[in-house]
């Protein structure tokens, strides 16, 4: 039963995160979690996709928290992290930024994540995504402008 979902799920996650090897790990983890749970076969496909998507989000958030200080709008909160109110405000800002990133167009999101979270150069991103360096720059700029506008609309910096 599981085999019929593997290829499509792997392809879906590969496109989402831009790395076939990481996607394979995510899909395997999703299968392990679903197998460990009490599930009904009728909703197996939906459960696998939801589980895999949640694993990607969890990994994304873990990477985000490791690179928290990469964002100008969060630097002030990080500098005052010893104050409980500031920590809470910083978490809210970070969560809002993650939500904004999730709303980006897929290719812009991919380029932005590879640049900001994975630390890849524009040339490395271009090679991985199969596009020109100029297109990588456009995707990253569009993502940064969208995030900055979204943060400003919320009252962030």
């Amino acid at each position: 039963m599981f085999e019929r979902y593997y290829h499509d799920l792997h392809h879906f996650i590969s496109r989402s995160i831009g790395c076939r090897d990481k996607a394979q790990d995510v899909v395997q983890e999703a299968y392990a979690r679903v197998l460990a749970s009490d599930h009904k076969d009728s909703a197996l496909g939906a459960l696998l996709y939801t589980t895999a998507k949640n694993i990607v989000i969890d990994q994304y958030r873990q990477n985000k928290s490791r690179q928290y200080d990469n964002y100008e709008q969060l630097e002030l909160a990080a500098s005052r992290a010893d104050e409980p109110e500031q920590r809470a405000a910083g978490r809210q800002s970070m969560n809002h930024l993650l939500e904004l990133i999730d709303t980006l167009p897929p290719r812009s999101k991919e380029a932005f994540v590879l640049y900001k979270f994975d630390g890849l150069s524009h040339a490395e991103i271009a090679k991985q995504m199969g596009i020109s360096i100029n297109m990588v720059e456009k995707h990253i700029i569009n993502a940064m402008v969208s995030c900055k506008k979204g943060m400003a609309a919320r009252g962030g910096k």
Side-chain angles (χ1 to χ4, degrees), residues 1-145:
M1 182 70 133
F2 282 100
E3 293 83 20
R4 81 177 204 196
Y5 297 106
Y6 182 84
H7 178 71
D8 290 338
L9 181 59
H10 182 262
H11 184 68
F12 173 76
I13 297 298
S14 288
R15 284 188 326 216
S16 297
I17 62 177
C19 178
R20 294 183 59 78
D21 292 335
K22 289 179 184 177
Q24 186 174 8
D25 292 341
V26 168
V27 171
Q28 288 175 354
E29 177 68 20
Y31 271 70
R33 288 185 187 185
V34 169
L35 283 171
S37 71
D38 292 326
H39 63 79
K40 301 290 180 208
D41 287 339
S42 62
L44 182 60
L47 182 59
L48 282 168
Y49 275 82
T50 301
T51 302
K53 185 181 88 171
N54 289 337
I55 291 168
V56 170
I57 291 168
D58 289 346
Q59 290 176 353
Y60 179 72
R61 286 183 176 151
Q62 288 172 352
N63 287 339
K64 173 69 177 113
S65 66
R66 285 186 208 120
Q67 297 184 6
Y68 179 82
D69 58 352
N70 284 342
Y71 298 95
E72 290 177 7
Q73 62 268 44
L74 299 178
E75 285 181 6
L76 181 58
S79 68
R80 299 184 297 182
D82 58 328
E83 301 172 28
E85 299 86 15
Q86 296 307 321
R87 281 197 311 264
R91 276 193 303 274
Q92 287 176 345
S93 293
M94 185 170 54
N95 287 335
H96 181 66
L97 184 58
L98 287 171
E99 290 169 5
L100 291 169
I101 292 169
D102 284 337
T103 65
L104 294 171
R107 299 294 274 175
S108 292
K109 178 180 175 181
E110 181 180 359
F112 183 76
V113 168
L114 289 171
Y115 180 69
K116 285 294 190 178
F117 299 130
D118 294 345
L120 298 182
S121 70
H122 290 190
E124 292 169 322
I125 296 167
K127 184 177 179 183
Q128 183 169 332
M129 292 178 67
I131 58 177
S132 69
I133 293 174
N134 189 34
M135 282 305 301
V136 169
E137 291 169 352
K138 287 179 182 180
H139 283 306
I140 292 171
I141 289 168
N142 288 339
M144 293 175 100
V145 167

